């Protein structure tokens, strides 16, 4: 049990020992910062010195403070973790600094920036603890208000994110429904074209219908690629080309022609997917169907090269064959080349057709940013 009389006597001795002549003691007594000294050698570590600033801060008189443990400043809302940390520091003889909620004599609270440090004797034993206190209630109030504001903002962001996620889910569901209907319509158109192709006997008409069927198939591939992707806003042109080449070569059954691909991944806006897909379809179809008429290869292997790269501010799309050449094939693929020209105008792109010796090279330059040349 704390010896109140001993604490008071030690306080008087401490004051007398440093009376007047000791400038450090005078500074502690007159400091604006609240300060106390406790006796580590007594049970319960009682206060044996408190300066006037401490008394002003807490509202207690010196007689009410001397001989008591500092825990009288604690109250119902004082953080148990802060109390435990302080006790542990005292038990282990360590410095500690922390903010702790304390109570004045009148019951009002204040945030105390507490710093506690052991004072050791000549033999290294702890004889006193020195404590300083600073009222940081204003700072804590601002921190708590900022914390509340942050919590409200985080809650608002979470709510808005949830709203956007639901909207995105609804949009995605709607897009997939539209895609499903478009694919059904394209399948219906393909079936009608195929049925008509089987009924006509004119080779020119059959060829024309087959070309239309390939164009519809290319658009269907675009939709399949778009809506299988996680990003329905962007279209992977290189992946489309691989699908297109595989489908068209399988349908053509031309074992005497090989296809070489050199495809750098490029993504374009979904709005440009269908017209660009038709451009590539027309150029590849023209090379495959018109670049290698019967007897043109004369024992050599035909080759079609498809390359996609980014070049400065353009996407460069090249389709080259080693077939009969631009002069001989141009009339055969005239309608397809007209389609290419019209679609390039729509895409703000430009195309160049040159001889490949042998064969034909067509290069399409599509602006990366969609601007004019």
């Amino acid at each position: 049990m704390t010896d109140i009389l001993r604490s008071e006597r030690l306080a008087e001795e401490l004051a007398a020992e440093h009376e007047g002549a000791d400038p450090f003691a005078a500074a502690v007594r007159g400091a604006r910062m609240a300060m106390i000294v406790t006796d580590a050698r007594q049970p319960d570590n009682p206060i044996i010195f408190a300066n006037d600033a401490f008394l002003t801060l807490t509202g207690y008189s010196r007689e009410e403070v001397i001989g008591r443990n500092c825990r009288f400043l604690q109250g119902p809302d004082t953080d148990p973790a802060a109390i435990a940390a302080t006790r542990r520091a005292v038990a282990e003889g360590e410095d500690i600094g922390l903010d702790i909620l304390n109570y004045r004599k009148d019951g009002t609270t204040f945030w105390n920036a507490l710093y506690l440090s052991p004072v050791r004797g000549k033999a290294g034993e702890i004889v006193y603890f020195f404590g300083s206190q600073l009222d940081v209630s204003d700072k804590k109030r601002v921190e708590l208000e900022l914390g509340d504001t942050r919590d409200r903002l985080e809650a608002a962001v979470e709510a808005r994110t949830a709203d956007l996620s639901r909207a995105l889910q609804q949009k995605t569901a709607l897009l997939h429904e539209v895609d499903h209907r478009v694919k059904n319509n394209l399948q219906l158109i393909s079936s009608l074209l195929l049925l008509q192709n089987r009924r006509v006997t004119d080779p020119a008409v059959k060829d024309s219908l087959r070309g239309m069927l390939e164009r519809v198939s290319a658009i269907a591939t675009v939709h399949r690629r778009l809506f299988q992707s996680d990003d329905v806003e962007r279209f992977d042109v290189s992946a489309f080309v691989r699908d297109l080449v595989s489908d068209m070569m399988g349908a053509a059954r031309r074992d005497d022609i090989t296809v070489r691909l050199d495809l750098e991944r490029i993504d374009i806006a979904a709005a440009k997917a269908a017209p660009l897909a038709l451009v590539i379809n027309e150029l590849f179809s023209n090379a495959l169907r018109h670049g290698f008429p019967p007897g043109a290869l004369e024992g050599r292997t035909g080759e079609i090269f498809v390359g996609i790269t980014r070049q400065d501010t353009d996407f460069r799309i090249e389709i080259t064959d080693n077939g009969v050449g631009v002069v001989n094939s141009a009339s055969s693929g005239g309608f397809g080349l007209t389609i290419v020209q019209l679609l390039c105008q729509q895409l703000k792109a430009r195309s160049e057709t040159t001889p490949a010796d042998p064969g034909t090279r067509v290069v399409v330059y599509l602006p990366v940013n969609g601007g004019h040349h």
Side-chain angles (χ1 to χ4, degrees):
M1 193 169 179
T2 301
D3 187 339
I4 301 296
L5 293 178
R6 181 184 174 189
S7 298
E8 291 176 345
R9 184 174 66 254
L10 286 171
E12 291 172 358
E13 291 175 357
L14 193 64
E17 181 180 346
H18 298 286
E19 190 68 36
D22 189 337
F24 176 76
V28 170
R29 287 194 300 273
R32 294 183 179 181
M33 177 179 287
M35 298 180 185
I36 59 171
V37 177
T38 66
D39 186 359
R41 295 166 295 185
Q42 286 197 67
D44 210 24
N45 200 23
I47 297 172
I48 60 171
F49 170 81
N51 68 355
D52 291 341
F54 179 85
L55 303 177
T56 301
L57 174 64
T58 62
Y60 290 93
S61 66
R62 186 165 280 104
E63 291 74 17
E64 292 173 311
V65 168
I66 299 300
R68 301 179 67 181
N69 184 280
C70 296
R71 75 173 64 90
F72 71 88
L73 296 175
Q74 299 167 10
D77 292 329
T78 304
D79 185 4
I83 295 172
T86 305
R87 288 176 178 170
R88 185 166 56 252
V90 170
E92 296 176 1
E94 297 177 346
D95 295 350
I96 187 173
L98 77 173
D99 293 345
I100 185 170
L101 185 69
N102 281 163
Y103 287 74
R104 298 184 180 90
K105 182 178 179 179
D106 62 7
T108 60
T109 59
F110 67 98
W111 279 98
N112 180 8
L114 171 66
Y115 178 74
L116 194 63
S117 179
V119 178
R120 300 182 182 274
K122 294 181 180 180
E125 78 284 8
I126 298 175
V127 292
Y128 302 117
F129 277 94
F130 171 80
S132 65
Q133 296 82 18
L134 181 65
D135 186 352
V136 292
S137 300
D138 291 341
K139 185 191 79 168
K140 274 291 182 180
R141 187 177 302 110
V142 171
E143 289 178 358
L144 293 173
E145 289 174 355
L146 288 174
D148 290 342
T149 301
R150 184 188 65 246
D151 291 343
R152 288 195 297 272
L153 286 174
E154 288 177 350
V157 168
E158 288 178 2
R160 181 58 177 162
T161 301
D163 290 341
L164 291 174
S165 297
R166 285 191 293 270
L168 182 60
Q169 291 172 356
Q170 293 171 357
K171 177 183 176 182
T172 302
L174 178 60
L175 287 172
H176 281 290
E177 176 62 25
V178 171
D179 170 57
H180 178 70
R181 296 186 182 187
V182 169
K183 285 192 294 188
N184 285 344
N185 290 336
L186 290 173
Q187 184 61 45
L188 177 60
I189 294 171
S190 296
S191 299
L192 291 173
L193 289 172
L194 187 60
L195 180 63
Q196 187 67 24
N197 183 269
R198 289 173 179 171
R199 292 191 173 188
V200 299
T201 56
D202 187 325
V205 175
K206 290 181 75 70
D207 188 63
S208 178
L209 288 173
R210 187 166 65 250
M212 293 302 297
L213 191 59
E214 288 174 354
R215 294 175 186 115
V216 172
S217 177
I219 295 174
T221 302
V222 168
H223 277 272
R224 185 178 73 250
R225 272 283 162 194
L226 267 177
F227 291 95
Q228 283 179 347
S229 170
D230 293 333
D231 184 2
V232 296
E233 302 290 334
R234 309 294 297 174
F235 179 68
D236 182 351
V237 180
S238 297
F240 162 78
V241 168
R242 290 189 183 93
D243 285 352
L244 177 73
V245 168
S246 176
D247 292 344
M248 294 188 72
M249 291 303 295
R253 298 178 181 177
R254 292 291 300 264
D255 295 336
D256 56 340
I257 300 174
T258 61
V259 179
R260 184 165 59 90
L261 303 178
D262 184 7
L263 307 175
E264 176 183 330
R265 171 162 182 163
I266 64 170
D267 294 326
I268 62 171
K272 295 183 178 181
L276 182 60
L278 284 176
V279 167
I280 297 172
N281 174 80
E282 293 301 325
L283 295 177
F284 188 82
S285 174
N286 190 54
L288 180 62
R289 294 170 60 190
H290 305 302
F292 304 98
L297 292 174
E298 298 179 353
R300 62 190 177 90
T301 300
E303 180 180 279
I304 301 176
F305 168 76
V306 183
I308 299 178
T309 57
R310 177 165 179 166
Q311 188 177 79
D312 298 327
T313 59
D314 293 320
F315 293 129
R316 183 181 185 276
I317 303 168
E318 174 187 344
I319 297 181
T320 300
D321 67 78
N322 65 348
V324 297
V326 63
V327 175
N328 295 324
S329 66
S331 59
S332 303
F335 179 63
L337 294 178
T338 300
I339 292 177
V340 169
Q341 292 170 1
L342 292 174
L343 291 173
C344 281
Q345 291 177 11
Q346 179 182 337
L347 291 166
K348 301 185 175 79
R350 61 187 173 89
S351 65
E352 295 178 352
T353 303
T354 57
D357 297 323
T360 305
R361 176 180 295 106
V362 182
V363 179
V364 175
Y365 296 94
L366 176 70
V368 172
N369 58 9
H372 291 277
H373 278 278

